[in-house]
Every structure is written in structure tokens, then in C-alpha cells.
Amino acid sequence: MDAKITNSILYLDNVSVSFDGFRALNALSFVVEPGELRAIIGPNGAGKTTMMDIITGKTRPDQGEVYFDGAVDLTRKDEAEIAQLGIGRKFQKPTVFESHTVWDNLELALNRKRGVFSTLFYRLTAEDKARIEEILATVRLTARKDDYAANLSHGQKQWLEIGMLLAQEPKLLLVDEPVAGMTDAETSETALLLKDIAKTRSVVVVEHDMGFIRDLGVKVTCLAEGSVLAEGSIDFVSNDPKVIENYLGR
Ligand SMILES: Nc1ncnc2c1ncn2[C@@H]1O[C@H](COP(=O)(O)OP(=O)(O)OP(=O)(O)O)[C@@H](O)[C@H]1O
Ligand SMILES: [Mg+2]
């Protein structure tokens, strides 16, 4: 197999998909390295969410190659298999269990991974507890662990859901517009939080908030009309005339 594939956590080559004749992805190619945190930007309708749909098996590409973890052909897997392989996805709207505590939400997520159907008779091991404590610290919710999820701020609910995904130990975490609706303080904290998470796994984050993207300080890929318009540092990408014309200057 091509070294470009074997050395990557995520490899897309020449991926296209059309909906009723409209090309949402148009020969999209990009590669994410193991342990990388990658930011994706681009105008509405550029295909950012569709790209995540392709990676997670929600949408099948019409053409192109999609490989995960150096060898796994994702175009041959269904959504459940892809989740099982270690790809976690955070959708825009948080879906935490509001009537459960923060701790219980994380405990449920941990048991879901284990496939325990009923948590009623299952006792957490010391190791499980340590893992939950660790996740609480990562998602900045240690002080809120006994509070009902319903009482968290919008931003904290987003963090809790990221924590629930971490309980599944994904190798790759996909996060779509995490800071929409967050306060400025929560937005800056989210950049730090994702950088912490990327120390132990790969993360791909889609965002429109350019301040947040700048805070991340990582390689940026700008999509437009279903393909890569520019890629590189935030300064390189934001000075690209095509990016200014198609996105930033709008
Ligand atoms: N399942 C689908 N059926 C039909 N059209 C779709 C489907 N999914 C996406 N599209 C279309 O594909 C295009 C790309 O949409 P996509 O949601 O990927 O854009 P995006 O870059 O995530 O935009 P935004 O920044 O607004 O979230 C849009 O024109 C959208 O309407
Ligand atoms: Mg989108």
C-alpha cells in the first residue's frame, strides 16, 4: 500500500459525491497525520459536514478513496463498524442526558463502549473511576461532576459530549462547529481543550470562528465547492487571494 496511506490516520483521495446532480464534494483530497489536530474552514455549503458524513459512513462517495489508520478502507464499512474502529463524531447540537449528572453521563458512555446492556448490576472498577476523573479534568467539568447536565451552560454541555466521546477512546475525533453559541471564554477554553485531547489522538475540527482557529495554531484546510482551496498555516491560508475571495472577504 502507498506510504501516504500507511503513514496517515485519515486519507482522502479524489472523493466526490453528488446530491441530485449537485457536487457537494468534488475530487476532495487531503491527509491527516496520526496525532494531528487539523482545522477545516470554508464557506457555507463548501462540503465540510458532507466530508464528515463520508468519513463516518453516513454518506457513500460516488468515487474516491477513504482510508483510516493507515490501512482500513472506510468505503467498505458501515456507520456502526466505523464507530467501532475508533472514529468518534461530535455533531453540532449536544445530546447529553439532561436528567443525569455529569458523572453518570460519562459512566453511561464508558459502559456503552463496553457493551454492558444494563448498568444496574455493573460496578465501576477503580480504573473506570480514574478514567472518568481524567476525562472530567480534560473537559473542564471536575467541579460540576455531581450536577445535572441540564444545569450546565451550553458550552459545558458541548464539553460533556466531547467527554462522552472520549470515554469510547476514539483514535480520531471529528468535531463540527463546537464553539457556535459559546461565550468568548468558553471558546478560548475549547481551543485549549482540543489541543489537550490531540496529545493522545487525532482531531479534525470544523469551525467558522476565525479567532478560535487562530488560537488552535494548527494546520488549516480551507474547502470551497467541495475541494481544497488552500492548506497551511492560518497566516498562509488567510492571505491566499482565493480564500479571501471565496470565504474571508465575504
Ligand atoms: N444528504 C444530502 N442531501 C442533499 N444535499 C445535501 C446532503 N448533504 C449535503 N447536501 C448539500 O451539499 C452541500 C454541502 O453541504 P455541507 O453541509 O457539507 O456544507 P458545509 O461546508 O458543512 O456548510 P456549513 O458551513 O453551512 O455547515 C450543500 O449544498 C448541501 O445542501
Ligand atoms: Mg456544516
Side-chain angles (χ1 to χ4, degrees), residues 5-77:
I5 300 175
T6 52
N7 295 331
S8 67
I9 188 78
L10 186 63
Y11 175 95
L12 276 76
D13 189 42
N14 201 29
V15 173
S16 296
V17 67
S18 297
F19 301 108
D20 304 320
F22 175 79
R23 275 207 161 195
L25 293 183
N26 187 12
L28 175 65
S29 302
F30 82 104
V31 180
V32 178
E33 289 174 21
E36 191 181 346
L37 168 55
R38 175 71 60 90
I40 312 275
I41 61 171
N44 298 119
K48 304 180 299 295
T49 299
T50 303
M51 172 205 75
M52 289 192 172
D53 290 343
I54 294 277
I55 296 164
T56 55
K58 192 176 175 213
T59 299
R60 292 274 166 212
D62 298 333
Q63 64 162 56
E65 293 183 302
V66 186
Y67 283 94
F68 172 61
D69 205 13
V72 186
D73 182 353
L74 293 182
T75 64
R76 291 168 185 279
K77 306 279 179 193

Side-chain angles (χ1 to χ4, degrees), residues 74-86:
L74 293 182
T75 64
R76 291 168 185 279
K77 306 279 179 193
D78 65 30
E79 266 187 285
E81 289 170 326
I82 290 170
Q84 207 62 41
L85 283 167

Side-chain angles (χ1 to χ4, degrees), residues 139 155-163 182 186 189-190 193:
V139 298
Q156 289 170 327
K157 284 181 192 170
Q158 299 282 31
W159 295 346
L160 176 55
E161 195 176 11
I162 291 172
M182 282 191 187
E186 286 171 342
E189 199 61 38
T190 302
L193 184 159

Side-chain angles (χ1 to χ4, degrees), residues 86-246:
I87 299 184
R89 180 180 191 176
K90 163 87 188 72
F91 287 92
Q92 198 170 326
K93 203 173 165 289
T95 53
V96 299
F97 300 106
E98 301 255 341
S99 59
H100 285 66
T101 64
V102 168
W103 179 281
D104 285 348
N105 268 276
L106 292 173
E107 189 175 324
L108 285 165
L110 205 66
N111 286 330
R112 196 159 55 198
K113 178 194 170 216
R114 216 178 264 119
V116 176
F117 182 70
S118 166
T119 58
L120 206 53
F121 303 108
Y122 185 80
R123 290 192 58 94
L124 285 184
T125 63
E127 202 183 325
D128 293 335
K129 286 182 186 159
R131 181 61 187 136
I132 293 176
E133 296 284 1
E134 191 181 19
I135 293 170
L136 281 168
T138 303
V139 298
R140 279 71 171 159
L141 290 174
T142 303
R144 306 297 308 267
K145 69 179 179 198
D146 297 323
D147 294 338
Y148 288 113
N151 295 331
L152 298 176
S153 70
H154 168 75
Q156 289 170 327
K157 284 181 192 170
Q158 299 282 31
W159 295 346
L160 176 55
E161 195 176 11
I162 291 172
M164 292 168 75
L165 290 166
L166 291 177
Q168 324 263 327
E169 303 293 349
K171 286 184 189 164
L172 171 65
L173 189 62
L174 307 173
V175 196
D176 203 352
E177 302 197 30
V179 306
M182 282 191 187
T183 65
D184 288 350
E186 286 171 342
T187 299
S188 329
E189 199 61 38
T190 302
L192 297 172
L193 184 159
L194 290 178
K195 290 204 298 195
D196 284 349
I197 290 171
K199 287 175 188 160
T200 51
R201 59 203 82 233
S202 310
V203 180
V204 173
V205 55
V206 167
E207 248 311 328
H208 285 289
D209 184 321
M210 292 305 285
F212 168 83
I213 297 286
R214 198 163 273 285
D215 278 355
L216 285 178
V218 297
K219 191 172 184 180
V220 177
T221 301
C222 180
L223 302 190
E225 294 174 8
S227 41
V228 175
L229 199 58
E231 193 169 87
S233 69
I234 182 64
D235 287 326
F236 177 81
V237 169
S238 56
N239 284 312
D240 186 309
K242 297 191 299 296
V243 174
I244 294 168
E245 188 191 324
N246 284 280

